[in-house]
């Protein structure tokens, strides 16, 4: 086991290596000793690291992640509803290092110099690279809704990044007063996991139906429509009649202010009180992307989807929730698909080859109960005319399809998808 | 003239679309592994091995027959030439160790 310090001294030469990357000759005769740094050990980053090694085992691939463990957002709604223990969300990097030879570096990437090709860590050590892949996920726009900042999220959790927030919301749901109201405030587009708030509503109702049957789940939405809408509305009505209510922006207007102490949401046309308040705030690209100047005025990262290279810094690639890859939704599955295209392109570009056209899929299940799931699917390709991705095919679970079959496939999918990412 | 241009444009766009270069076999195959594990035993079938003709026939069947299957939605996103590339790739994988 190599320690972080040994690693930095050995591989990067610590501070003495500052600037070395910029001087490194760009040979065209193979990828030997070319270093690719991957920032962010979630679904996108881990897939990218693994597929880089599959594409070219000679590449030196370094994965930087804040902690030795990663807590999965997919599956966290099931934990909140008590269907799965929290331990099921823990992911580790052993397979990645042992089987594929990816080096891991635990620490926070706090800065990135795209011109000099250096990433800086929280302890001020730095690491030069030939190319970097950022998979930083999302950050919250804390100032967007008055009264809802990071501090307020400790009372009214967002639970939109897994961990302590997931646990807090799970506990609050369990201690909801008999006949009380849970309110989910759903964010404006674009955001991580478009069906997520609605899956959460259904699974909360699943829990409450058994333990607190007079309770209600209210979704106060800042949108007028949502992902898999007809399937969700149909399912809630079938499984939890009268328990789940969706209040669209068309009847409420904008969220204006949130009183986290009294758990009241003030909208343009009214106010809503809750006993448990789950606020999912508006989002933007993870902070390293913003710090490195890779976001545009939307707050997300513009990329060329043939390589996921930033249109603002060609040696830096951004994948996953942080990048703009419309019409693909922001999901772990999409991040996995971005990562494969990106890893292939990075290996090709470092070897002086044209990566060729990309091919991507998104496929996501949402549970409404342990034996009831629905799904949404899209196949995407590059359109030179549009200069971006287009959907070659899309679809959802047909309204008359068997939800139990979907649930069985969803379980198999969860397992296989984890294996493709974390090994 | 104007009328001709108006009629001509969609046809041109369609042929432009048809002429889009297709992704390579490995690029097409990689997203499939997110569900079709190469290692895990599963109700979702493995893709490696098997005759090419069977894979191609199965994909056409998924595409053309409306079913509840997820594969109906996915198969529609590819062309016949993609099925052929994928079939060849998955058959050849049979010789390689699990990834």
């Amino acid at each position: 086991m190599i320690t972080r310090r040994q690693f930095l001294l050995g591989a990067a030469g610590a501070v003495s290596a500052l600037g070395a990357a910029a001087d490194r000759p760009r040979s065209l005769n193979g990828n030997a000793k070319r270093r690719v740094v991957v920032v962010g050990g979630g679904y996108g980053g881990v897939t990218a690291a693994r597929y880089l090694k599959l594409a070219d085992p000679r590449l030196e691939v370094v994965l930087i992640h804040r902690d030795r463990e990663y807590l999965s957002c997919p599956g966290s709604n099931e934990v909140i509803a008590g269907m799965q223990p929290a331990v099921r969300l823990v992911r580790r990097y052993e397979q990645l290092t042992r089987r594929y030879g990816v080096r891991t570096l635990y620490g926070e990437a706090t800065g990135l110099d795209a011109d000099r090709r250096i990433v800086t860590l929280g302890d001020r050590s730095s690491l030069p690279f030939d190319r970097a892949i950022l998979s930083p996920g999302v950050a919250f726009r804390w100032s967007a809704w008055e009264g809802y900042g990071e501090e307020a999220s400790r009372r009214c959790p967002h639970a939109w990044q897994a961990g302590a927030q997931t646990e807090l919301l799970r506990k609050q749901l369990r201690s909801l007063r008999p006949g009380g109201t849970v309110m989910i405030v759903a964010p404006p587009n674009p955001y991580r996991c478009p069906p997520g708030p609605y899956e959460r509503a259904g699974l909360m109702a699943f829990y409450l139906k058994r333990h607190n049957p007079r309770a209600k789940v209210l979704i106060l939405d800042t949108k007028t429509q949502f992902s898999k809408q007809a399937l969700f509305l149909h399912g809630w009505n079938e499984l939890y009649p009268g328990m789940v209510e969706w209040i669209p922006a068309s009847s409420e207007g904008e969220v204006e202010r949130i009183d986290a102490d009294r758990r009241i949401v003030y909208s343009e046309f009214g106010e809503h009180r809750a006993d448990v308040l789950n606020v999912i705030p508006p989002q933007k690209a993870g902070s390293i992307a913003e710090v490195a100047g890779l976001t545009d005025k939307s707050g997300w990262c513009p990329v060329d989807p043939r390589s996921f290279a930033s249109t603002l810094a060609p040696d830096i690639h951004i994948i996953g929730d942080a990048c703009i890859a419309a019409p693909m939704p922001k999901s772990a599955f999409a991040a996995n698909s971005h990562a494969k295209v990106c890893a292939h392109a990075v290996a090709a570009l470092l070897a002086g080859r044209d990566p060729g056209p990309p091919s991507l899929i998104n496929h996501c299940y949402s549970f409404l109960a342990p034996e009831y799931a629905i799904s949404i699917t899209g196949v995407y390709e590059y359109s030179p005319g549009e200069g971006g991705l287009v959907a070659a095919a899309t679809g959802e679970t047909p309204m008359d399809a068997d939800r139990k079959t979907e649930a069985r496939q969803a379980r198999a999918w969860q397992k296989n998808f984890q294996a493709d990412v974390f090994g | 003239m104007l009328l001709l241009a108006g009629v001509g444009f969609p046809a041109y766009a369609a042929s432009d679309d048809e002429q889009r270069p297709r992704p390579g076999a490995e690029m097409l195959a990689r997203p499939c592994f997110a569900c079709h594990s190469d290692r895990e035993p599963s109700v979702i079938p493995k893709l490696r091995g098997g005759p090419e003709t069977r894979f191609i026939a199965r994909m056409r069947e998924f595409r053309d027959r409306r079913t509840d299957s997820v594969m109906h939605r996915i198969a529609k996103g590819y062309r016949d030439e993609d099925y052929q590339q994928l079939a060849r790739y998955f058959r050849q994988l049979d010789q390689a160790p699990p990834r």
Side-chain angles (χ1 to χ4, degrees):
Chain A
M1 198 51 190
I2 191 162
T3 69
R4 179 167 158 204
R5 184 172 159 73
Q6 281 167 338
F7 170 69
L8 275 175
L9 289 172
V15 181
S16 65
L18 268 171
D23 302 322
R24 196 179 298 186
R26 303 204 139 197
S27 75
L28 291 173
N29 55 1
N31 288 343
K33 288 179 188 153
R34 309 304 290 280
R35 182 185 294 144
V36 182
V37 168
V38 181
V39 180
Y43 285 85
V46 171
T47 306
R50 184 157 111 79
Y51 275 80
L52 276 167
K53 282 303 236 182
L54 286 170
D56 189 344
R58 293 168 303 169
L59 285 172
E60 184 192 350
V61 180
V62 184
L63 176 77
I64 301 177
H65 187 64
R66 196 184 296 126
D67 307 303
R68 284 174 183 272
E69 289 180 346
Y70 172 72
L71 296 166
S72 169
C73 260
S76 63
N77 284 336
E78 291 162 74
V79 172
I80 291 165
M83 287 162 57
Q84 299 283 352
V87 69
R88 288 286 288 273
L89 303 179
V90 178
R91 307 283 181 269
R92 294 195 180 88
Y93 303 108
E94 283 112 37
Q95 293 291 336
L96 201 62
T97 45
R98 240 196 339 244
R99 282 180 66 121
Y100 300 99
V102 171
R103 295 190 182 205
T104 45
L105 186 51
Y106 301 109
E108 183 135 27
T110 50
L112 186 140
D113 186 329
D115 292 330
R116 295 169 68 205
R117 302 202 299 274
I118 296 168
V119 63
T120 318
L121 286 111
D123 62 1
R124 293 195 182 169
S125 62
S126 58
L127 192 64
F129 56 80
D130 293 287
R131 280 182 182 268
I133 301 175
L134 309 188
S135 188
V138 298
F140 299 113
R141 296 176 187 270
W142 291 120
S143 52
W145 289 339
E146 191 192 330
Y148 194 76
E150 195 162 8
E151 200 274 320
S153 76
R154 287 182 209 116
R155 279 161 291 157
C156 303
H158 53 76
W160 219 240
Q161 283 164 337
Q165 285 276 309
T166 313
E167 194 52 24
L168 181 58
L169 187 56
R170 190 187 72 87
K171 280 187 180 148
Q172 290 188 356
L173 183 70
R174 290 173 95 90
S175 52
L176 176 69
R177 71 171 174 83
T181 300
V182 183
M183 184 156 65
I184 300 171
V185 186
N189 288 322
Y191 62 98
R192 159 179 285 178
C193 191
Y198 314 95
E199 179 189 62
R200 179 173 288 177
L203 293 184
M204 281 176 158
F206 168 76
Y207 172 83
L208 293 169
K209 193 177 177 182
R210 274 150 193 79
H211 303 281
N212 191 346
R214 287 185 300 113
K216 281 202 159 34
V217 182
L218 221 66
I219 305 157
L220 188 66
D221 212 330
T222 56
K223 303 180 289 300
T224 53
Q225 51 186 15
F226 62 90
S227 174
K228 301 184 241 190
Q229 182 168 340
L231 290 163
F232 273 115
L233 294 174
H234 177 85
W236 295 336
N237 197 41
E238 197 172 26
L239 298 167
Y240 317 112
M243 278 186 87
V244 182
E245 189 186 348
W246 177 61
I247 307 171
S250 46
S251 66
E252 279 303 313
E254 300 278 311
V255 168
E256 294 207 316
R257 186 164 65 84
I258 291 166
D259 185 333
D261 287 325
R262 295 161 65 210
R263 293 183 297 275
I264 303 174
V265 180
Y266 297 91
S267 69
E268 271 180 280
F269 309 131
E271 59 176 79
H272 293 272
R273 280 162 197 274
D275 299 296
V276 169
L277 182 56
N278 170 209
V279 180
I280 306 166
Q283 293 154 37
K284 59 182 180 178
S287 74
I288 183 74
E290 198 173 359
V291 167
L294 302 169
T295 52
D296 67 13
K297 48 180 199 300
S298 72
W300 305 97
C301 303
V303 294
D304 180 336
R306 289 171 293 185
S307 62
F308 286 83
S310 168
T311 58
L312 305 171
D315 294 330
I316 316 296
H317 302 248
I318 303 115
I319 57 172
D321 294 344
C323 77
I324 302 168
M328 292 187 88
K330 297 188 184 300
S331 71
F333 200 102
N336 169 270
S337 224
H338 302 167
K340 290 168 180 175
V341 170
C342 181
H344 167 82
V346 164
L349 291 168
L350 284 173
R353 294 192 312 266
D354 175 10
S359 178
L360 305 103
I361 297 179
N362 180 64
H363 178 59
C364 295
Y365 289 93
S366 301
F367 283 98
L368 282 81
E371 299 298 318
Y372 190 119
I374 55 177
S375 60
I376 189 163
T377 313
V379 177
Y380 304 89
E381 61 186 42
Y382 183 75
S383 159
E386 306 264 326
L389 295 177
V390 291
T394 57
E396 295 178 356
T397 304
M399 197 48 98
D400 56 1
D402 179 23
R403 309 297 199 270
K404 205 170 169 175
T405 306
E406 287 271 75
R408 196 169 62 237
Q409 285 172 353
R411 296 271 173 235
W413 163 83
Q414 281 179 326
K415 187 161 168 258
N416 289 1
F417 181 52
Q418 296 309 317
D420 187 46
V421 180
F422 291 93
Chain B
M1 228 5 211
L2 273 173
L3 185 67
L4 274 176
V7 171
F9 183 71
Y12 170 75
S15 78
D16 182 49
D17 191 63
E18 284 303 308
Q19 280 162 18
R20 253 181 228 167
R22 298 309 297 164
E26 193 164 12
M27 174 60 72
L28 288 167
R30 281 179 164 185
C32 309
F33 295 119
C35 294
H36 297 267
S37 176
D38 209 23
R39 280 178 281 153
E40 301 284 317
S42 178
V43 296
I44 304 170
K46 288 203 174 14
L47 293 169
R48 60 167 57 222
E52 290 174 37
T53 47
R54 193 173 71 196
F55 178 86
I56 294 165
R58 195 86 181 96
M59 289 300 280
R60 286 179 184 153
E61 204 180 298
F62 278 130
R63 179 191 61 200
D64 300 332
R65 232 189 36 210
R66 246 197 81 83
T67 65
D68 293 351
S69 169
V70 165
M71 282 309 300
H72 172 61
R73 305 174 223 160
I74 291 176
K76 286 187 299 176
Y78 300 92
R79 301 184 194 168
D80 235 55
E81 62 194 279
D82 300 334
Y83 299 162
Q84 286 163 22
Q85 281 209 74
L86 284 166
R88 204 171 312 131
Y89 181 81
F90 292 136
R91 180 181 52 76
Q92 284 164 359
L93 258 194
D94 213 14
Q95 314 303 321
R99 297 149 1 108

